[in-house]
Amino acid sequence: MDLVEAVALAAVSTLTFIACWTDLRKMEIPNVLTVPFALAGLVYHGATQGWDGLGSSVSGLLCGMAPLLVLYLLRGIGGGDVKWFAAYGAWTGVAQALALAVWSILFAGGIAALLLLMRAPGLRKIGKAVAWPWGRHPLEAAKGAAKFPFMLAVVPAFAVLAWGQFA
């Protein structure tokens, strides 16, 4: 791993940690976090790699944002998640941004499957014992209305990709 990649990894690790913290606490990823990180990614890659680096960073920003924008328009995630993925893409580029989107959606599907399992007759008692700080409890919410912070899916996806880089 070269210095440019190491700085990018440090930046997205910091971005991920802070975003996860705020999303778990408030179900929100603020613009004051995502916008400066996105701009810093553009500036950093432009300064260290010239026009090619800036172009790659802009492409990563757009490709990080695009798939999540679709989920946002379908009301599956919040706007902060979209901006977080744009910032992530500005630092990592197209391939990593798209890979993280795919892995995050897969992990979110796994979480959704667990929420559905909690509704099963034999598991309802256990499911009701699980504290749920993000709105109505999945067993009390109307069908399909249970919510969870998307960063619960992003963090393990991020870990899988980071592990793949170092393994």
Side-chain angles (χ1 to χ4, degrees):
M1 174 182 302
D2 66 11
L3 180 61
V4 171
E5 291 171 334
V7 170
L9 179 60
V12 295
S13 295
T14 302
L15 173 67
T16 302
F17 176 79
I18 297 169
C20 184
W21 178 257
T22 61
D23 204 21
L24 290 176
R25 293 181 66 229
K26 300 178 183 177
M27 288 276 292
E28 175 182 302
I29 302 173
N31 291 342
V32 71
L33 173 66
T34 56
V35 173
F37 263 94
L39 293 173
L42 295 171
V43 169
Y44 178 73
H45 286 292
T48 58
Q49 300 168 325
W51 289 110
D52 288 341
L54 179 61
S56 177
S57 187
V58 168
S59 298
L61 183 144
L62 294 173
C63 287
M65 182 179 68
L68 281 293
L69 186 57
V70 172
L71 290 177
Y72 171 76
L73 293 173
L74 295 171
R75 300 176 192 225
I77 61 169
D81 298 307
V82 177
K83 291 174 267 186
W84 184 90
F85 268 86
Y88 179 85
W91 278 98
T92 62
V94 172
Q96 286 293 313
L98 291 176
L100 185 65
V102 169
W103 277 100
S104 297
I105 291 167
L106 291 172
F107 274 102
I111 293 168
L114 288 174
L115 293 177
L116 285 173
L117 278 175
M118 285 176 32
R119 292 178 181 257
L123 299 175
R124 288 183 75 76
K125 187 174 182 178
I126 296 169
K128 285 184 179 181
V130 173
W132 197 259
W134 307 293
R136 295 188 70 194
H137 193 283
L139 296 178
E140 297 169 1
K143 192 173 187 177
K147 295 182 178 182
F148 62 90
F150 191 55
M151 290 305 287
L152 284 178
V154 173
V155 168
F158 178 80
V160 165
L161 289 177
W163 178 264
Q165 284 184 323
F166 296 113

